[in-house]
Amino acid sequence: MPFITLMTNMKAASFPADAMPRLIRVLAPLMNKPQEAYNWVLDTDKIMSKGSDNASKPYVWLKIEAIGTFEDPENIKVMTPKLFDFFANELNIEEEAILMNFYPLSATHIGKNGKTVA
């Protein structure tokens, strides 16, 4: 049950309507998770900056949280360049504008259907 949050100071119109589903189609095989398990938020038009005074420059901050994916650092090392490629080739966003964070989750820290996942 991965959680994907993409925050950006870019306008919503800068992204195709299917940007997040396309991202999930790239992530699912990399994370070995079914597409239906993903939860995502695209949060555009944010006041944010990469650096102290760069709010006028494009900035994309991608946060990925998941159970059982990020415990092995090699998974992140394989995934990262493929995600940068997706942003460059599919969404025309330069590498310098992107920051990614990967967070491991414990199944006991997620509530669903009235109980924790584990």
Side-chain angles (χ1 to χ4, degrees):
M1 179 181 303
F3 298 90
I4 313 302
T5 305
L6 193 153
M7 296 180 292
T8 183
N9 59 359
M10 297 168 65
K11 302 283 183 204
S14 301
F15 293 86
D18 65 344
M20 293 304 286
R22 286 166 50 191
L23 175 60
I24 300 309
R25 284 193 291 275
V26 170
L27 281 170
L30 294 173
M31 296 176 67
N32 198 27
K33 308 275 186 194
Q35 291 182 31
E36 302 78 32
Y38 283 79
N39 303 278
W40 60 264
V41 174
L42 173 58
D43 199 0
T44 61
D45 302 283
K46 304 296 288 179
I47 299 172
M48 56 191 286
S49 175
K50 184 177 177 188
S52 64
D53 192 22
N54 290 317
S56 63
K57 294 182 181 176
Y59 178 32
V60 172
W61 184 355
L62 178 66
K63 295 182 182 184
I64 305 175
E65 303 168 88
I67 300 168
T69 301
F70 304 128
E71 287 73 12
D72 182 354
E74 290 304 313
N75 290 342
I76 300 168
K77 290 177 183 178
V78 168
M79 185 181 308
T80 300
K82 292 178 181 181
L83 290 171
F84 275 102
D85 286 346
F86 168 81
F87 281 100
N89 298 325
E90 299 289 326
L91 301 180
N92 201 29
I93 299 172
E94 296 182 13
E95 287 185 1
E96 297 78 26
I98 304 166
L99 179 71
M100 298 178 190
N101 296 129
F102 304 90
Y103 298 99
L105 289 178
S106 170
T108 58
H109 289 76
I110 301 170
K112 180 181 175 183
N113 299 329
K115 59 185 179 185
T116 61
V117 174

